[in-house]
Amino acid sequence: MRPTIADVAREAGVTKGTVSHVYNGHRPISAPTKERVRAAAKKLGWVPNANASALAGHHTNAVGLVLHKNPDALAVDTFFPVFISGMQAELSQRQVMLAMQVVDSQSAEERAYRSMAHGRADGVVVLDIHRKDWRIPFLAKLRLPAVLMDVPRDYPGFTAVRIDSGRSMEELVDHLRAQGHTRIAHVSGPLDYVHAYERAAAYVRTIGNKELLRQGDFTAQSGRRLTSELLSLSYPPTAIIYSNNVMAIAGQSYAQEQGLRIPEDLALAGFEDDEICAHLNPPLTSVDTGPAERGRLAAQQLVQVVAETFPESVTAPAPVIRYRGSTEGKSPPGDCDPRDV
Amino acid sequence: MRPTIADVAREAGVTKGTVSHVYNGHRPISAPTKERVRAAAKKLGWVPNANASALAGHHTNAVGLVLHKNPDALAVDTFFPVFISGMQAELSQRQVMLAMQVVDSQSAEERAYRSMAHGRADGVVVLDIHRKDWRIPFLAKLRLPAVLMDVPRDYPGFTAVRIDSGRSMEELVDHLRAQGHTRIAHVSGPLDYVHAYERAAAYVRTIGNKELLRQGDFTAQSGRRLTSELLSLSYPPTAIIYSNNVMAIAGQSYAQEQGLRIPEDLALAGFEDDEICAHLNPPLTSVDTGPAERGRLAAQQLVQVVAETFPESVTAPAPVIRYRGSTEGKSPPGDCDPRDV
DNA sequence: CTGTTAGCGCTTTCAT
DNA sequence: ATGAAAGCGCTAACAG
């Protein structure tokens, strides 16, 4: 049988309560007793049973992450591994586990959050918030502590980790304009996602109209399709900003197949920078939103929420635009680019 | 208060035992009773408390993954996200959670496995097996069900998911020889890892000596350093095979900085293909070991192990070599490559 | 500073 | 086919 707290207590000549307190520090224990208990635990190879302690105590030492998406998307999108590694940087220090569940329907998602609330995790990090998101009231009802990523405003009872991506969109447009572009398109993500919406809104605000705005769904396929659609306009754009890199890479590859030179004939930029962007040919300009740091902040906030030291919402460090070859070298109209011969 | 099984029982006019059996099918329940219980549960928003059921029953509906490495490595190495997405493809169907813990020391790793064994998870998947791996006897002692990835032989009481990567090394060497290469180097991973060792062993077997074998550690830095070392030999290699892509990409980038043309002056190939390889300039030849499928198989095996239908060890589909520009176009010695002018 | 004990919410015999 | 009740291993409130 696996050792229980009673075995350790017997071995150390104390009671279960004492052993318990040695491990959670909820009351002072004399040094020699502490030592005896530690020695006994080590000798027997005892670790607290997480289920029993969660059941009795109400802390699981785990945080949850419920992802509503196709498992394949996890493999393609580089945001997740980096975000998760950021979370783990914070969690591994504190020996907190990450309880991850991928679901494929709303009912499964509800069940998953319910089970998190009912003893699986002390709290959750919520990603990909929608503009009208059922999960926020739902989590409130469940009284499940949560950190909301990238919500546009504060929600009572929740803390948030925010990011200002509208600003980056403006900078990107300015940069392209400075290079002489006047027809700048945007391939957005689904506009019911807050992050996609904010980028698109900033785009429309800066450009002044939505003539060249197209709504994609973050997949390579939609990046390709919408690029093709934009390029076959009678008056096509000379620059396209994509709301993520998967779409941008697909767009670049499509444009090159069509014989367009990047950036001379078409400039491209994306959001959610990752290592691949620097290695493309030409390298892709993109916005680094700092996913690792955001993951770390999310975990840090959540740990505090769980500890009942209710933290203020924070804003992640401003995104950084990595300017690369895909937006360089556009000459002002009328000029003649030497490479153009 | 969150609803408990007692609330549901009361609401449905039955006992707790009956509710329990409706949910785990451990004994027949009449249809009408079943319906009443289901309705009551839905009405109250009840889901079984995972801790209580694990404590009483002994199943957690979670599988564990303990990773002993720097969190950053998770972000760089594309193996993990893809492997995990493969696992999730299997787990999400069965509503099984993934309990993930990143640790930074052996003692933390032991604790993590102990806590998995003591109620965190029904079993674990073990990655990055060493040639002499303390975890195997340790897990046996803990009686924690486990699936071992890429072990060279069977271990009594464990099932394994294997892969034949030695064969790919041979093919790669043959391919390079066919293109006229006679000085073929290998930058391996740490040789105490089974996967790195098997590749290196196949290399030595095929080449006949270890003159051009260098031991790296899977980081970009070591890829760069060892490439530099190999290239400054008085009789340097004309081709290098790396044990992972991080090292290969770093090597390619270093070689190009030195003014070498790939593949004319130096051919390169790596293991652990990922999307980035196809987008490099030139695209990198590499071995696709099918991480998603291996993740799926691991999860599938583990689920079976946990269900006590002890499955045979399986071998994953053979790796596929993606031949790309980084190994093409080497002319036989003496010939004159037109591009060489 | 330490001992005692009543649960936490569920599963599972043993009854009926 | 269902009910009753004894724990699973731990925490925390109550004693001392």
Side-chain angles (χ1 to χ4, degrees):
Chain A
M1 243 357 248
R2 309 211 223 260
T4 76
I5 198 172
D7 299 323
V8 176
R10 196 177 318 112
E11 177 79 25
V14 296
T15 59
K16 298 191 297 173
T18 302
V19 175
S20 175
H21 288 116
V22 167
Y23 277 83
N24 57 39
H26 282 8
R27 75 184 187 196
I29 301 286
S30 72
T33 308
K34 223 179 251 177
E35 259 331 295
R36 286 215 316 287
V37 170
R38 290 242 162 78
K42 178 166 295 169
K43 176 175 171 198
L44 300 178
W46 175 81
V47 293
N49 178 307
N51 297 124
S53 99
L55 189 54
H58 309 299
H59 269 232
T60 64
N61 276 304
V63 300
L65 191 59
V66 176
L67 301 173
H68 183 165
K69 50 180 63 192
N70 191 310
D72 298 349
L74 282 187
V76 175
D77 199 328
T78 59
F79 172 81
F80 287 101
V82 181
F83 184 81
I84 287 172
S85 87
M87 288 186 66
Q88 294 285 10
E90 193 69 28
L91 299 178
S92 71
Q93 288 175 23
R94 309 172 189 258
Q95 315 239 50
V96 172
M97 265 197 22
L98 179 62
M100 200 173 141
Q101 187 157 4
V102 174
V103 296
D104 58 4
S105 70
Q106 178 168 334
S107 69
E109 192 173 4
E110 277 187 30
R111 283 178 50 88
Y113 278 119
R114 279 220 162 81
S115 97
M116 294 288 173
H118 291 216
R120 283 289 201 193
D122 296 328
V124 293
V125 171
V126 185
L127 282 169
D128 290 332
I129 302 266
H130 286 60
R131 274 198 289 157
K132 178 82 184 156
D133 202 308
W134 61 269
R135 294 173 297 180
I136 298 177
F138 184 69
L139 293 172
K141 202 183 75 189
L142 286 180
R143 307 170 147 280
L144 178 61
V147 169
L148 310 176
M149 296 303 294
D150 308 337
V151 281
R153 60 178 187 82
D154 260 331
Y155 289 87
F158 293 102
T159 56
V161 175
R162 293 215 187 65
I163 191 160
D164 179 3
S165 52
R167 184 87 192 71
S168 309
M169 176 60 88
E170 286 166 28
E171 267 185 54
L172 225 34
V173 170
D174 287 348
H175 175 74
L176 290 165
R177 278 181 172 152
Q179 298 190 23
H181 291 278
T182 54
R183 302 279 291 166
I184 302 171
H186 178 46
V187 174
S188 76
L191 294 177
D192 38 338
Y193 284 118
V194 170
H195 43 34
Y197 179 80
E198 288 193 340
R199 289 167 199 171
Y203 166 81
V204 172
R205 198 165 54 237
T206 316
I207 295 289
N209 67 68
K210 39 180 90 170
E211 184 200 343
L212 295 175
L213 171 64
R214 294 293 182 281
Q215 185 176 169
D217 63 5
F218 288 137
T219 64
Q221 201 196 356
S222 81
R224 194 182 166 82
R225 184 172 50 77
L226 294 171
T227 302
S228 144
E229 188 179 316
L230 284 164
L231 292 179
S232 48
L233 290 176
S234 52
Y235 188 17
T238 61
I240 308 180
I241 298 170
Y242 297 83
S243 202
N244 80 347
N245 273 337
V246 174
M247 296 193 296
I249 293 170
Q252 168 157 327
S253 141
Y254 173 81
Q256 287 175 328
E257 282 169 30
Q258 300 304 303
L260 295 181
R261 291 157 311 165
I262 316 292
E264 292 85 350
D265 301 326
L266 182 67
L268 300 171
F271 274 77
E272 298 301 355
D273 184 50
D274 66 56
E275 221 164 327
I276 196 175
C277 295
H279 292 280
L280 294 170
N281 188 11
L284 184 69
T285 289
S286 79
V287 180
D288 182 351
T289 61
E293 177 61 9
R294 288 194 287 154
R296 208 189 56 71
L297 284 171
Q300 193 181 55
Q301 292 280 95
L302 189 47
V303 165
Q304 291 181 41
V305 173
V306 169
E308 316 249 286
T309 69
F310 294 101
E312 294 293 308
S313 292
V314 298
T315 297
V320 175
I321 304 183
R322 310 280 175 208
Y323 292 106
R324 302 200 182 91
S326 69
T327 58
E328 266 166 29
K330 170 74 180 185
S331 332
D335 238 54
C336 180
D337 189 319
R339 280 167 303 185
D340 244 304
V341 184
Chain B
M1 244 358 247
R2 309 211 224 261
T4 75
I5 199 172
D7 300 322
V8 176
R10 195 176 319 113
E11 178 79 24
V14 296
T15 59
K16 298 190 298 174
T18 303
V19 175
S20 174
H21 288 117
V22 167
Y23 278 81
N24 57 38
H26 282 7
R27 76 185 186 196
I29 301 286
S30 74
T33 308
K34 222 179 253 179
E35 257 333 294
R36 286 212 318 286
V37 170
R38 290 240 161 78
K42 177 165 296 169
K43 178 177 169 199
L44 301 179
W46 176 81
V47 294
N49 178 307
N51 297 124
S53 92
L55 188 55
H58 309 298
H59 269 234
T60 63
N61 275 305
V63 302
L65 192 59
V66 176
L67 301 173
H68 183 165
K69 50 180 64 194
N70 192 309
D72 298 349
L74 282 185
V76 175
D77 199 330
T78 60
F79 173 82
F80 287 101
V82 180
F83 185 81
I84 287 172
S85 90
M87 287 186 67
Q88 292 286 10
E90 193 70 27
L91 299 178
S92 72
Q93 289 174 24
R94 308 175 191 254
Q95 314 237 52
V96 171
M97 264 195 24
L98 179 61
M100 202 172 139
Q101 188 156 3
V102 174
V103 296
D104 58 3
S105 69
Q106 177 168 335
S107 69
E109 192 173 5
E110 276 187 32
R111 285 178 48 91
Y113 278 120
R114 278 223 164 80
S115 99
M116 294 287 173
H118 292 218
R120 283 290 202 194
D122 296 329
V124 293
V125 171
V126 185
L127 284 168
D128 290 331
I129 303 265
H130 286 60
R131 276 197 286 158
K132 177 83 187 157
D133 203 309
W134 60 270
R135 295 174 297 179
I136 298 176
F138 185 68
L139 293 172
K141 200 183 75 187
L142 287 180
R143 306 172 147 280
L144 179 61
V147 169
L148 310 177
M149 296 304 294
D150 309 336
V151 280
R153 60 178 188 82
D154 260 330
Y155 289 85
F158 292 102
T159 57
V161 174
R162 291 214 187 67
I163 191 158
D164 180 3
S165 51
R167 183 90 190 69
S168 309
M169 175 61 87
E170 288 167 27
E171 268 185 54
L172 224 35
V173 170
D174 287 348
H175 175 73
L176 289 166
R177 279 182 172 152
Q179 296 188 27
H181 290 279
T182 53
R183 300 279 292 165
I184 302 171
H186 177 47
V187 175
S188 75
L191 294 177
D192 38 338
Y193 283 119
V194 169
H195 43 34
Y197 179 80
E198 289 193 338
R199 289 167 198 170
Y203 166 83
V204 172
R205 198 165 53 238
T206 317
I207 296 288
N209 66 68
K210 37 180 92 168
E211 182 200 344
L212 296 175
L213 170 64
R214 293 294 180 281
Q215 186 177 169
D217 63 5
F218 288 138
T219 64
Q221 202 198 354
S222 80
R224 195 182 167 82
R225 183 173 51 78
L226 294 171
T227 302
S228 145
E229 187 179 318
L230 285 164
L231 292 179
S232 47
L233 289 176
S234 53
Y235 188 16
T238 61
I240 308 180
I241 298 170
Y242 297 83
S243 202
N244 82 346
N245 273 337
V246 173
M247 295 192 296
I249 293 171
Q252 168 156 328
S253 143
Y254 173 80
Q256 287 176 328
E257 280 169 31
Q258 299 306 304
L260 295 181
R261 291 157 311 165
I262 316 293
E264 292 85 349
D265 301 326
L266 182 67
L268 300 171
F271 274 78
E272 297 302 355
D273 184 50
D274 67 55
E275 223 165 325
I276 198 174
C277 295
H279 292 280
L280 293 171
N281 188 13
L284 184 70
T285 290
S286 79
V287 180
D288 182 352
T289 61
E293 177 62 9
R294 288 193 286 153
R296 210 188 57 69
L297 285 171
Q300 193 181 57
Q301 292 280 95
L302 188 49
V303 166
Q304 290 179 43
V305 173
V306 169
E308 316 248 284
T309 68
F310 293 100
E312 294 291 310
S313 291
V314 297
T315 296
V320 175
I321 304 183
R322 311 279 176 210
Y323 292 106
R324 303 202 181 90
S326 69
T327 56
E328 267 166 29
K330 171 75 182 185
S331 335
D335 239 53
C336 178
D337 190 319
R339 281 167 300 183
D340 245 305
V341 185

PDB file of all heavy atoms in Angstrom, chain B residues 303-322:
ATOM      1  N   VAL B 303      -4.207   4.891 -22.057  1.00  0.00           N
ATOM      2  CA  VAL B 303      -5.610   4.687 -21.705  1.00  0.00           C
ATOM      3  C   VAL B 303      -5.901   3.192 -21.553  1.00  0.00           C
ATOM      4  O   VAL B 303      -6.600   2.769 -20.635  1.00  0.00           O
ATOM      5  CB  VAL B 303      -6.520   5.330 -22.777  1.00  0.00           C
ATOM      6  CG1 VAL B 303      -7.945   4.846 -22.632  1.00  0.00           C
ATOM      7  CG2 VAL B 303      -6.452   6.848 -22.676  1.00  0.00           C
ATOM      8  N   GLN B 304      -5.310   2.408 -22.434  1.00  0.00           N
ATOM      9  CA  GLN B 304      -5.519   0.961 -22.342  1.00  0.00           C
ATOM     10  C   GLN B 304      -4.841   0.370 -21.115  1.00  0.00           C
ATOM     11  O   GLN B 304      -5.398  -0.498 -20.441  1.00  0.00           O
ATOM     12  CB  GLN B 304      -4.995   0.272 -23.598  1.00  0.00           C
ATOM     13  CG  GLN B 304      -5.835   0.563 -24.818  1.00  0.00           C
ATOM     14  CD  GLN B 304      -5.271  -0.120 -26.064  1.00  0.00           C
ATOM     15  OE1 GLN B 304      -4.864  -1.261 -26.016  1.00  0.00           O
ATOM     16  NE2 GLN B 304      -5.229   0.620 -27.154  1.00  0.00           N
ATOM     17  N   VAL B 305      -3.645   0.828 -20.839  1.00  0.00           N
ATOM     18  CA  VAL B 305      -2.932   0.333 -19.665  1.00  0.00           C
ATOM     19  C   VAL B 305      -3.768   0.600 -18.418  1.00  0.00           C
ATOM     20  O   VAL B 305      -3.938  -0.258 -17.566  1.00  0.00           O
ATOM     21  CB  VAL B 305      -1.560   1.017 -19.510  1.00  0.00           C
ATOM     22  CG1 VAL B 305      -0.910   0.627 -18.197  1.00  0.00           C
ATOM     23  CG2 VAL B 305      -0.655   0.657 -20.671  1.00  0.00           C
ATOM     24  N   VAL B 306      -4.309   1.816 -18.362  1.00  0.00           N
ATOM     25  CA  VAL B 306      -5.085   2.202 -17.199  1.00  0.00           C
ATOM     26  C   VAL B 306      -6.339   1.341 -17.092  1.00  0.00           C
ATOM     27  O   VAL B 306      -6.780   0.975 -16.010  1.00  0.00           O
ATOM     28  CB  VAL B 306      -5.449   3.702 -17.284  1.00  0.00           C
ATOM     29  CG1 VAL B 306      -6.478   4.064 -16.237  1.00  0.00           C
ATOM     30  CG2 VAL B 306      -4.190   4.547 -17.129  1.00  0.00           C
ATOM     31  N   ALA B 307      -6.903   0.998 -18.252  1.00  0.00           N
ATOM     32  CA  ALA B 307      -8.115   0.168 -18.260  1.00  0.00           C
ATOM     33  C   ALA B 307      -7.773  -1.300 -18.020  1.00  0.00           C
ATOM     34  O   ALA B 307      -8.646  -2.164 -18.079  1.00  0.00           O
ATOM     35  CB  ALA B 307      -8.840   0.330 -19.590  1.00  0.00           C
ATOM     36  N   GLU B 308      -6.510  -1.578 -17.767  1.00  0.00           N
ATOM     37  CA  GLU B 308      -6.040  -2.917 -17.439  1.00  0.00           C
ATOM     38  C   GLU B 308      -6.153  -3.918 -18.573  1.00  0.00           C
ATOM     39  O   GLU B 308      -6.107  -5.121 -18.363  1.00  0.00           O
ATOM     40  CB  GLU B 308      -6.799  -3.480 -16.231  1.00  0.00           C
ATOM     41  CG  GLU B 308      -6.978  -2.507 -15.108  1.00  0.00           C
ATOM     42  CD  GLU B 308      -6.173  -2.902 -13.889  1.00  0.00           C
ATOM     43  OE1 GLU B 308      -6.593  -3.838 -13.196  1.00  0.00           O
ATOM     44  OE2 GLU B 308      -5.114  -2.274 -13.649  1.00  0.00           O
ATOM     45  N   THR B 309      -6.337  -3.419 -19.804  1.00  0.00           N
ATOM     46  CA  THR B 309      -6.295  -4.335 -20.943  1.00  0.00           C
ATOM     47  C   THR B 309      -4.884  -4.204 -21.479  1.00  0.00           C
ATOM     48  O   THR B 309      -4.618  -3.436 -22.381  1.00  0.00           O
ATOM     49  CB  THR B 309      -7.255  -3.882 -22.058  1.00  0.00           C
ATOM     50  OG1 THR B 309      -6.767  -2.670 -22.629  1.00  0.00           O
ATOM     51  CG2 THR B 309      -8.636  -3.633 -21.505  1.00  0.00           C
ATOM     52  N   PHE B 310      -3.984  -4.932 -20.866  1.00  0.00           N
ATOM     53  CA  PHE B 310      -2.573  -4.663 -21.123  1.00  0.00           C
ATOM     54  C   PHE B 310      -2.195  -4.828 -22.579  1.00  0.00           C
ATOM     55  O   PHE B 310      -2.197  -5.926 -23.105  1.00  0.00           O
ATOM     56  CB  PHE B 310      -1.711  -5.506 -20.194  1.00  0.00           C
ATOM     57  CG  PHE B 310      -1.898  -5.067 -18.779  1.00  0.00           C
ATOM     58  CD1 PHE B 310      -2.726  -5.772 -17.921  1.00  0.00           C
ATOM     59  CD2 PHE B 310      -1.297  -3.908 -18.330  1.00  0.00           C
ATOM     60  CE1 PHE B 310      -2.931  -5.334 -16.628  1.00  0.00           C
ATOM     61  CE2 PHE B 310      -1.496  -3.474 -17.031  1.00  0.00           C
ATOM     62  CZ  PHE B 310      -2.325  -4.188 -16.182  1.00  0.00           C
ATOM     63  N   PRO B 311      -1.921  -3.713 -23.208  1.00  0.00           N
ATOM     64  CA  PRO B 311      -1.623  -3.731 -24.638  1.00  0.00           C
ATOM     65  C   PRO B 311      -0.167  -4.105 -24.893  1.00  0.00           C
ATOM     66  O   PRO B 311       0.684  -3.934 -24.030  1.00  0.00           O
ATOM     67  CB  PRO B 311      -1.876  -2.283 -25.056  1.00  0.00           C
ATOM     68  CG  PRO B 311      -1.549  -1.492 -23.835  1.00  0.00           C
ATOM     69  CD  PRO B 311      -1.858  -2.365 -22.647  1.00  0.00           C
ATOM     70  N   GLU B 312       0.084  -4.631 -26.077  1.00  0.00           N
ATOM     71  CA  GLU B 312       1.452  -4.879 -26.518  1.00  0.00           C
ATOM     72  C   GLU B 312       2.128  -3.541 -26.810  1.00  0.00           C
ATOM     73  O   GLU B 312       1.457  -2.584 -27.191  1.00  0.00           O
ATOM     74  CB  GLU B 312       1.442  -5.688 -27.821  1.00  0.00           C
ATOM     75  CG  GLU B 312       0.901  -7.090 -27.690  1.00  0.00           C
ATOM     76  CD  GLU B 312       1.841  -7.962 -26.872  1.00  0.00           C
ATOM     77  OE1 GLU B 312       3.053  -7.970 -27.175  1.00  0.00           O
ATOM     78  OE2 GLU B 312       1.361  -8.598 -25.913  1.00  0.00           O
ATOM     79  N   SER B 313       3.416  -3.529 -26.699  1.00  0.00           N
ATOM     80  CA  SER B 313       4.150  -2.346 -27.155  1.00  0.00           C
ATOM     81  C   SER B 313       3.940  -2.192 -28.658  1.00  0.00           C
ATOM     82  O   SER B 313       3.724  -3.176 -29.356  1.00  0.00           O
ATOM     83  CB  SER B 313       5.643  -2.521 -26.883  1.00  0.00           C
ATOM     84  OG  SER B 313       5.868  -2.479 -25.494  1.00  0.00           O
ATOM     85  N   VAL B 314       3.968  -0.969 -29.129  1.00  0.00           N
ATOM     86  CA  VAL B 314       3.803  -0.751 -30.567  1.00  0.00           C
ATOM     87  C   VAL B 314       4.991   0.031 -31.124  1.00  0.00           C
ATOM     88  O   VAL B 314       5.708   0.706 -30.388  1.00  0.00           O
ATOM     89  CB  VAL B 314       2.520   0.052 -30.887  1.00  0.00           C
ATOM     90  CG1 VAL B 314       1.295  -0.713 -30.454  1.00  0.00           C
ATOM     91  CG2 VAL B 314       2.564   1.429 -30.257  1.00  0.00           C
ATOM     92  N   THR B 315       5.162  -0.097 -32.407  1.00  0.00           N
ATOM     93  CA  THR B 315       6.172   0.714 -33.079  1.00  0.00           C
ATOM     94  C   THR B 315       5.449   1.730 -33.940  1.00  0.00           C
ATOM     95  O   THR B 315       4.533   1.380 -34.687  1.00  0.00           O
ATOM     96  CB  THR B 315       7.077  -0.166 -33.946  1.00  0.00           C
ATOM     97  OG1 THR B 315       7.785  -1.068 -33.093  1.00  0.00           O
ATOM     98  CG2 THR B 315       8.080   0.684 -34.701  1.00  0.00           C
ATOM     99  N   ALA B 316       5.816   2.979 -33.788  1.00  0.00           N
ATOM    100  CA  ALA B 316       5.178   4.044 -34.564  1.00  0.00           C
ATOM    101  C   ALA B 316       5.535   3.879 -36.035  1.00  0.00           C
ATOM    102  O   ALA B 316       6.529   3.229 -36.368  1.00  0.00           O
ATOM    103  CB  ALA B 316       5.638   5.398 -34.049  1.00  0.00           C
ATOM    104  N   PRO B 317       4.712   4.445 -36.903  1.00  0.00           N
ATOM    105  CA  PRO B 317       5.023   4.394 -38.332  1.00  0.00           C
ATOM    106  C   PRO B 317       6.446   4.888 -38.581  1.00  0.00           C
ATOM    107  O   PRO B 317       6.920   5.787 -37.887  1.00  0.00           O
ATOM    108  CB  PRO B 317       4.009   5.360 -38.948  1.00  0.00           C
ATOM    109  CG  PRO B 317       2.869   5.384 -37.995  1.00  0.00           C
ATOM    110  CD  PRO B 317       3.472   5.164 -36.633  1.00  0.00           C
ATOM    111  N   ALA B 318       7.103   4.273 -39.544  1.00  0.00           N
ATOM    112  CA  ALA B 318       8.497   4.621 -39.819  1.00  0.00           C
ATOM    113  C   ALA B 318       8.641   6.100 -40.148  1.00  0.00           C
ATOM    114  O   ALA B 318       7.775   6.678 -40.797  1.00  0.00           O
ATOM    115  CB  ALA B 318       9.018   3.783 -40.974  1.00  0.00           C
ATOM    116  N   PRO B 319       9.712   6.702 -39.661  1.00  0.00           N
ATOM    117  CA  PRO B 319       9.977   8.116 -39.978  1.00  0.00           C
ATOM    118  C   PRO B 319      10.076   8.310 -41.480  1.00  0.00           C
ATOM    119  O   PRO B 319      10.462   7.393 -42.208  1.00  0.00           O
ATOM    120  CB  PRO B 319      11.337   8.364 -39.332  1.00  0.00           C
ATOM    121  CG  PRO B 319      11.517   7.297 -38.331  1.00  0.00           C
ATOM    122  CD  PRO B 319      10.751   6.117 -38.823  1.00  0.00           C
ATOM    123  N   VAL B 320       9.743   9.497 -41.917  1.00  0.00           N
ATOM    124  CA  VAL B 320       9.796   9.812 -43.339  1.00  0.00           C
ATOM    125  C   VAL B 320      10.829  10.909 -43.544  1.00  0.00           C
ATOM    126  O   VAL B 320      10.830  11.903 -42.820  1.00  0.00           O
ATOM    127  CB  VAL B 320       8.422  10.319 -43.812  1.00  0.00           C
ATOM    128  CG1 VAL B 320       8.499  10.775 -45.265  1.00  0.00           C
ATOM    129  CG2 VAL B 320       7.364   9.246 -43.629  1.00  0.00           C
ATOM    130  N   ILE B 321      11.689  10.713 -44.498  1.00  0.00           N
ATOM    131  CA  ILE B 321      12.686  11.760 -44.752  1.00  0.00           C
ATOM    132  C   ILE B 321      12.139  12.758 -45.760  1.00  0.00           C
ATOM    133  O   ILE B 321      11.686  12.388 -46.830  1.00  0.00           O
ATOM    134  CB  ILE B 321      14.000  11.162 -45.283  1.00  0.00           C
ATOM    135  CG1 ILE B 321      14.496  10.116 -44.280  1.00  0.00           C
ATOM    136  CG2 ILE B 321      15.045  12.260 -45.481  1.00  0.00           C
ATOM    137  CD1 ILE B 321      15.826   9.511 -44.648  1.00  0.00           C
ATOM    138  N   ARG B 322      12.108  13.999 -45.357  1.00  0.00           N
ATOM    139  CA  ARG B 322      11.655  15.064 -46.267  1.00  0.00           C
ATOM    140  C   ARG B 322      12.888  15.634 -46.961  1.00  0.00           C
ATOM    141  O   ARG B 322      13.646  16.419 -46.366  1.00  0.00           O
ATOM    142  CB  ARG B 322      10.966  16.186 -45.486  1.00  0.00           C
ATOM    143  CG  ARG B 322       9.908  15.734 -44.508  1.00  0.00           C
ATOM    144  CD  ARG B 322       8.594  15.471 -45.193  1.00  0.00           C
ATOM    145  NE  ARG B 322       7.615  14.944 -44.235  1.00  0.00           N
ATOM    146  CZ  ARG B 322       6.641  14.118 -44.564  1.00  0.00           C
ATOM    147  NH1 ARG B 322       6.494  13.705 -45.822  1.00  0.00           N
ATOM    148  NH2 ARG B 322       5.798  13.681 -43.644  1.00  0.00           N
TER     149      ARG B 322
END
